């Protein structure tokens, strides 16, 4: 199916036909043509369908043509439907006999005003038009037409001269073509006024008051009226006053009545009411209109003789400090005796607070409506009150009556009021001395107290103990500490291990029953020597060394780790346990492991098991042992040897590739890689240099296999001498060789062949299974014929099979000439001992002869549609029959009608291009009626033979009769009313229309015929099937908006399949919703206020606007979020933000609030803005030291040296820290030492914090004074001094600056002559004034030795090391010789020296 516009040019191509052909080359080339009798269209040979002559949709809207494709042998065709699209060429045109400008009175009746004609020269949709009027006062009938129409415009809403003195009537006609065309005509109507309004009095009712003291001529009030008619003469008003009392007078000025008093009154005048009437009449000369109103004057006595009297002589009450603004505290009442004579003078005008303004500023009064003669009120909270600031107040309240004339003095009376403020828990606890940082030693016992946590609470006092802070400790994660809930003392409650945790950080909570605050505590652990060294090796610990290495070879270095923190605690020494080893040496301080002798694995040096001890220098010392296994590795010192000295083997000349010929074994006395063997062939002894054999290695075995089977031929060579070599895997490999004899065995090696290259045979397609076809036999020149036959690719699904021995070929599956008339086979032959090797093949061609074995069949049969009516020789359908049998009976075909032969008959044709295809043409002659037989079934039989063996095919053509559509549809209602919310989204359902069609089975299509109001601007669409009208939003017109358009009028059309239609009107009223959100002038605001600002201090005012109207635009302001502790409040009506609670910048320096502007629509909309309030600082905080005691260390003998943190390096300086909760200058801290001549302190800014660094002024001597205690103070930039004075404890560390001295001046020891070398004699000791740690640095040595002769006692100088030696660390003295002879020397004088290792 295709479409073409009626305005398309001649030659315009609007469709291209395509076909496919499985043939290739010239057989796949085809051409297109048409046999259509319609001259409007034609087809190029390439399949392009084009316009041949001009077309007009009004003449023929659709065409049917057949397009054929032929490849000169086969032809196919398709039916092609072409729809002509209407082209819109003309505008709608208005004509009228009425003038386009005229005058009417505003009371013109609701009736016909103008008539006019409209025409459109187009046809179809382009000739159909919709008509609309621009002014809702008018209605046009009809509002649509086709090509031409007579239109009447009537007034449907009355004119109003007072609203508009001229009306414009614009009529628009829009056709339904594409693109649409429009015609417009405009009428101007001038209006004249009529007298339709009576005068209207303003500000009614008219009630005026006259007081007894008024003088004559006192003005009382004005009575006036207006007229809403439009002309000037009707606006002039005349007044008539009837029955005005003599006490009063009036005058008429400026079109109004002025009332005054006309007599005097006194204090005895009683209250009285006077009434009279006033009539207002306009000046219309024809039919004037008037209105009458009643005026009332009330005369009242205005004397004030008595003061108010309170209901109680004393008022008392109480208020909780957390009460909200406006909370009623005390109800009060008062009366006035004047009320009986003068209600004004007897009414209380206000209750006033008197006394100290600072006291009663916390309160205000409210006055309730009058309760009979009693005036009631209340004392309420004004803002907020704080128990911690004021706990009770006493003040006076005064009742003031009303002056009836603002001249008579008011009277008042006071009464005393007492209010008690009740304390509530409104202050959180505050920690003192933050941050909490301290150090304790690991392994400290449970229960040991080490830090006090302090907190205060402003609500806590000696009277009320309920607000005392209680302490608790965080449990996630758990820590080995506990806190006393009352005292705040921290103590140890678990194991402390510095190696697991060097520090703990946790929270301490202070809870006063309502508020729970926290502080961070940091506890550092100092080190104790509680960990033994750990070897840095894996277990089991195994090392490998090669045999035959020379003395002193390096093996490895043993290392260990001690996780303790102090230097002595983690310094490690190593030794063997037990001491001494003949094979290996372990260097004590470094852990180096070396060999002491050459090892030989072959003589038993294979494995050594040792134990090594690692020990630290801490106190007490900690040690660990580990077992070490040393395995001696082999070196290559043995050659491989073959186990068989004269090997032989055999191989067949037809042996296959990779077949094993021989396996040999060799051995090597070495181990590991040195004993790994690898075999190779050195020489094969083959003729022509061929290499028929290869060798592969399997551990100690060599497998010789056939590598080239073509090289083995018994006729060429009967035996081979193969030389095999073996090598071990040593770094310098050792090798051996052996010769192997391999004999070749003879086999039958001639192949069978076929005597001819091609065999042929013929077989009928009806031949039975196992039918013999022909024989194909191979020949073998060998004496032993050991071969067979097979079909190449033969499977159980093949049509033929072969006898493997005889070569006879038989039929295996039924044949079909139509599927395949020739079969091609390949017969193969092979030796039975090598079935995989095909020795020869030949071709076989088998022809299949045709039989009549296939029934004809009809191609796809389509159902036909036919309009009911009478027909004569009408071709209904052409059926295509195919018979795939080849040349059988020259394709004889006979068609017969089995049903409906009275009205239908058949003619037949054979396709000239393909004799297998026949055509049956079905014709109709007679009447067909939908009501009596909506469906006709015609059955056709086809025979392909006139014999008893004929094959047949049957086809049934179903003809569906079409019921003609001749009745128009009718809507259920002439007018539909519906509503839609403004802002409704696309696809929102508004309403649904429905129409019925008398015809059977007719499907109606609904459409939007025209948008009557506003013209072409209604955002609606209609579902063409269901009639559902819904909101449509494609961006061209706005969605429903109550503020823009309040109603829409649509005309809906229903069209049946025959073009019959009906229309109806749909009025849609737009409902208002709250669809505008209040908007602030800015998206965010910034304000600031001092932390000392009083409650009620204004910060800034925010404003928002709302585009909605009435209650939807009424805005009140709220704080949406961020109102922490209610520090701020916003006035709902004005948007003014002010301070609601006392501020503390140190608690919170900035507040971020979200402010909302909420309208009063339903549901309400809220606009948001962001307000940031910065709290400005005042200097209200003293500096606080972070700790009450600081600990530090410094070395002696150093001036200008900085104090550092205990148990750390000198680069970790001790920082004195204090905090000040203020900021900027107020938070700048300077540190001072109150009194010291040895130290000074300087202040530095480090990482944003002011810290104090303590330095020495002079060189210190630990031996004179080993500890100093300093007192500090801190002063901030605002001049405030710290409340606490912490102490700094500084320990002076020792330098090794003292000379050691022997503990005894002389030592005496006996020496046995002829003793042995290394005999222990004595241990000497020395001491220096330095610390114990430095005493470990003492070193001893022998400076000289003198031998004393036995007779002369002469001292003879001797070489010390030849006689004695001393351990330089322990002071142990040993002999270094065994040659001591008392008869020669009776005494030895040994002089010893001691020194410090550091000096």
């Amino acid at each position: 199916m295709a479409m073409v516009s009626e305005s398309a040019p001649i030659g315009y191509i609007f469709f291209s036909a395509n076909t496919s052909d499985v043939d290739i080359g010239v057989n796949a080339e085809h051409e297109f043509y048409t046999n259509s009798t319609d001259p409007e269209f034609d087809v190029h040979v390439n399949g392009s369908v084009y316009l041949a002559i001009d077309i007009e949709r009004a003449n023929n809207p659709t065409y049917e043509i057949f397009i054929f494709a032929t490849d000169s042998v086969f032809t196919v065709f398709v039916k092609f439907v072409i729809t002509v699209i209407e082209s819109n060429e003309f505008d709608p045109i208005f004509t009228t006999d009425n003038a386009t400008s005229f005058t009417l009175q505003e009371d013109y009746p609701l009736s016909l005003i103008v008539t006019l004609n409209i025409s459109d020269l187009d046809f179809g949709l382009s000739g159909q038009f919709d008509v609309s009027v621009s002014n809702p006062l008018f209605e046009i009938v009809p509002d649509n037409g086709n090509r031409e129409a007579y239109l009447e415009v009537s007034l449907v809403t009355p004119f109003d001269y007072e609203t508009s003195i001229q009306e414009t009537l614009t009529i628009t006609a829009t056709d339904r073509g594409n693109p649409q065309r429009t015609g417009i005509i405009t009428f101007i109507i001038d209006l004249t006024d009529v007298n339709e309004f009576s005068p209207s009095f303003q500000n009614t009712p008219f009630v005026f008051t006259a007081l007894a003291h008024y003088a004559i001529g006192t003005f009382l009030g004005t009575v006036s009226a207006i007229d809403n008619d439009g002309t000037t003469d009707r606006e002039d008003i005349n007044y008539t006053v009837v029955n005005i009392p003599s006490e009063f007078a009036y005058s008429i000025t400026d079109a109004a009545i002025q009332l005054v008093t006309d007599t005097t009154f006194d204090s005895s005048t009683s209250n009285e009411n006077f009434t009279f009437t006033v009539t207002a009449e306009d000046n219309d000369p024809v039919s004037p209109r008037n209105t009458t109103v009643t005026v009332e004057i009330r005369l009242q006595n205005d004397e004030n003789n008595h003061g108010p009297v309170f209901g109680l002589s004393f008022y008392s009450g109480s208020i909780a400090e957390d009460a909200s603004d406006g909370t009623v505290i005390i109800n009060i009442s008062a009366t006035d005796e004047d009320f009986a004579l003068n209600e004004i003078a007897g009414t209380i005008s206000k209750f006033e607070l008197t006394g100290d303004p600072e006291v009663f500023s916390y309160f205000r009064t409210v006055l309730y409506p009058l309760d009979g003669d009693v005036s009631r009120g209340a004392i309420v909270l004004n803002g907020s009150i704080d128990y911690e600031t004021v706990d009770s107040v006493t003040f006076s309240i005064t009742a003031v009556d009303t002056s009836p004339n603002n001249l008579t003095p008011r009277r008042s009376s006071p009464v005393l009021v007492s209010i008690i403020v009740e304390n509530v828990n409104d202050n959180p606890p505050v920690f003192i001395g933050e941050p909490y940082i301290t150090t304790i030693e690991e392994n400290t016992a449970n229960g040991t107290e080490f830090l006090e946590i302090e907190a205060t609470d402003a609500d806590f006092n000696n009277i009320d103990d309920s607000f005392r802070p209680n302490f608790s400790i965080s449990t996630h994660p758990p820590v080995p500490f506990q806190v006393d809930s009352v005292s705040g003392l921290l103590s140890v409650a678990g194991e402390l291990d510095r190696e697991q945790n060097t520090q703990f950080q946790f929270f301490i909570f202070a809870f006063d029953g309502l508020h729970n605050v926290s502080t961070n505590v940091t506890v550092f652990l100092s080190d104790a020597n509680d960990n033994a060294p750990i070897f840095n090796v894996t277990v089991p610990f195994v090392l490998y060394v090669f045999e035959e290495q020379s003395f002193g070879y390096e093996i490895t270095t043993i290392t260990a780790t001690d996780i303790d923190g102090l230097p002595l605690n983690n310094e490690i020494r190593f030794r063997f346990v037990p001491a001494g080893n003949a094979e290996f040496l372990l260097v004590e301080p470094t852990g180096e492991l070396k060999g002491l002798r050459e090892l030989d694995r072959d003589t038993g040096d294979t494995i050594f098991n040792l134990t090594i001890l690692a020990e630290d220098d801490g106190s007490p010392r900690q040690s660990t042992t580990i077992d070490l296994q040393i395995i001696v590795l082999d070196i290559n010192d043995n050659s491989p040897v073959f186990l068989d000295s004269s090997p032989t083997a055999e191989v067949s000349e037809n042996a296959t590739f990779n077949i094993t010929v021989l396996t040999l074994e060799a051995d090597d006395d070495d181990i590991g890689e040195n004993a790994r063997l690898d075999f190779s062939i050195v020489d094969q002894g083959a003729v022509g240099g061929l290499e028929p054999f290869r060798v592969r290695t399997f551990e100690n075995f060599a497998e010789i296999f056939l590598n080239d089977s073509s090289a083995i031929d018994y006729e060429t060579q009967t035996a081979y001498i193969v030389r095999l070599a073996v090598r071990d895997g040593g770094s310098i490999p050792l090798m051996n060789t052996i010769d192997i004899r391999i004999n070749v065995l003879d086999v039958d090696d001639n192949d069978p062949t076929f005597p001819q290259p091609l065999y042929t045979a013929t077989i009928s397609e009806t031949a039975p299974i196992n039918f013999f076809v022909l024989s194909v036999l191979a020949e073998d020149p060998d004496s032993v014929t050991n071969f067979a036959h097979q079909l190449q690719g033969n499977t159980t699904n093949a049509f033929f099979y072969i006898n493997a021995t005889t070569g006879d070929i038989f039929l295996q599956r039924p044949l079909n000439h139509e599927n395949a008339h020739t079969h091609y086979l390949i017969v193969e032959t092979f030796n039975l001992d090598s079935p995989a090797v095909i020795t020869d093949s030949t071709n076989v061609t088998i022809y299949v002869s045709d039989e009549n074995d296939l029934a004809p069949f009809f191609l796809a049969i389509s159902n036909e549609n036919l309009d009911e009516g009478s027909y004569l020789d009408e071709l209904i359908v052409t059926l295509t029959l195919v018979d795939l049998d080849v040349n059988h009976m020259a394709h004889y075909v006979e068609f017969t009608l089995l049903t409906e032969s009275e009205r239908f008959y058949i003619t037949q044709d054979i396709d000239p291009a393909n004799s297998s295809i026949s055509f049956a043409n079905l014709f109709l002659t007679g009447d067909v009626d939908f009501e009596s037989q909506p469906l006709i079934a015609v059955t056709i039989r086809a025979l392909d033979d006139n014999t008893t063996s004929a094959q047949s095919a049957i086809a049934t053509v179903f003809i569906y009769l079409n019921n003609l559509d001749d009745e128009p549809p009718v809507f259920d209602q002439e007018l539909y009313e519906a509503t839609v919310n403004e802002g409704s989204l696309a696809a929102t359902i508004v309403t649904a229309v429905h129409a019925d069609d008398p015809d059977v089975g007719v499907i109606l299509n609904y459409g939007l015929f025209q948008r009557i109001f506003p013209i072409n601007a209604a955002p609606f669409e209609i579902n063409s099937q269901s009639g559902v009208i819904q909101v449509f939003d494609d961006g061209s017109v706005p969605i429903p908006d109550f503020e823009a358009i309040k109603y829409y009028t649509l005309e809906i059309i229903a069209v049946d399949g025959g073009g019959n239609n009906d229309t109806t009107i749909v009025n849609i009223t737009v409902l208002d919703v709250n669809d505008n959100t209040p908007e602030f002038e800015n998206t965010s605001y910034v304000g600031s206020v001092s932390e000392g600002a009083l409650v009620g201090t204004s910060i800034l005012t925010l404003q928002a606007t709302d585009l909605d109207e009435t209650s939807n635009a009424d805005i009140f302001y709220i704080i949406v979020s961020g109102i922490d502790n209610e520090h701020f409040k916003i006035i709902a009506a004005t948007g003014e933000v002010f301070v609601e609670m006392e501020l503390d910048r140190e608690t919170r320096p900035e507040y971020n609030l979200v402010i909302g502007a909420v309208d009063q629509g339903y549901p309400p909309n809220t606009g948001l803005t962001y307000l940031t309030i910065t709290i400005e600082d005042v200097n209200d905080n003293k500096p606080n030291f972070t700790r009450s005691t600081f600990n530090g260390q410094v070395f002696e003998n150093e001036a200008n040296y900085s104090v550092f943190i205990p148990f750390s390096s000198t680069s970790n300086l001790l920082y004195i820290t204090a905090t000040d909760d203020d900021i900027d200058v107020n938070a700048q801290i300077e540190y001072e030492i109150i009194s010291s001549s040895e130290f000074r302190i300087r202040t530095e800014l480090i990482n944003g914090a002011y810290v104090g660094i303590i330095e020495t002024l002079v060189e210190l001597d630990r031996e004179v004074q080993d500890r100093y205690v300093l007192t500090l103070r801190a002063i901030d930039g605002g001049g405030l001094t710290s409340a606490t004075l912490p102490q700094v404890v500084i320990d002076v560390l020792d330098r090794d600056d003292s000379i050691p001295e022997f503990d005894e001046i002389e030592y005496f020891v006996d020496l046995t002559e002829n003793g042995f070398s290394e005999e222990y004699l004595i241990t000497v000791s020395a001491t220096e004034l330095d610390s114990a740690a430095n005493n470990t640095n003492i070193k001893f040595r022998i400076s000289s030795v003198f031998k004393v002769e036995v007779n002369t006692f002469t001292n003879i100088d001797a070489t010390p090391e030849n006689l004695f030696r001393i351990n330089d660390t322990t002071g142990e003295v040993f002999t270094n010789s065994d040659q001591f002879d008392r008869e020669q020397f009776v005494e030895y004088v040994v002089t010893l020296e001691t020194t410090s290792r550091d000096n």
Side-chain angles (χ1 to χ4, degrees), residues 1132-1159:
T1134 65
E1136 182 182 11
V1137 181
F1138 60 89
V1139 178
E1140 176 72 359
M1141 291 181 63
E1142 290 184 356
L1143 302 173
D1144 185 2
R1145 190 209 62 77
E1146 289 70 29
T1147 302
R1148 187 162 185 175
E1150 184 180 275
Y1151 293 82
N1152 293 298
L1153 309 181
V1154 178
I1155 306 298
V1158 186
D1159 64 26

Side-chain angles (χ1 to χ4, degrees), residues 1058-1072:
N1060 303 306
N1061 65 76
D1062 188 22
T1063 61
T1064 187
I1065 300 298
V1066 178
N1067 290 329
I1068 301 174
T1069 301
V1070 181
L1071 303 179
D1072 187 29

Side-chain angles (χ1 to χ4, degrees), residues 303-306 401-412:
E303 293 295 321
N304 187 14
N305 300 315
H306 303 87
D401 65 15
T402 305
S403 172
N405 53 19
N406 291 327
L407 298 175
T408 305
R410 297 184 179 186
R411 295 180 180 272
S412 62

Side-chain angles (χ1 to χ4, degrees), residues 834-849:
S834 301
V837 180
I838 304 301
T839 61
D840 196 11
S841 65
T842 186
N843 295 309
V844 178
T845 302
I846 301 174
Y847 299 100
V848 181
S849 61

Side-chain angles (χ1 to χ4, degrees), residues 245-286:
S246 60
E247 290 86 353
F248 307 100
Y250 70 92
S251 62
I252 300 176
T253 59
D254 297 327
I257 297 178
Q258 314 295 325
L259 297 177
V260 296
T261 59
D262 199 27
T263 187
T264 58
F265 306 96
D266 55 33
S267 60
S268 63
T269 302
S270 300
N271 296 338
E272 186 177 357
N273 294 341
F274 302 90
T275 60
F276 57 95
T277 62
V278 177
T279 300
E281 185 177 71
D282 63 27
N283 285 330
D284 187 83
V286 179

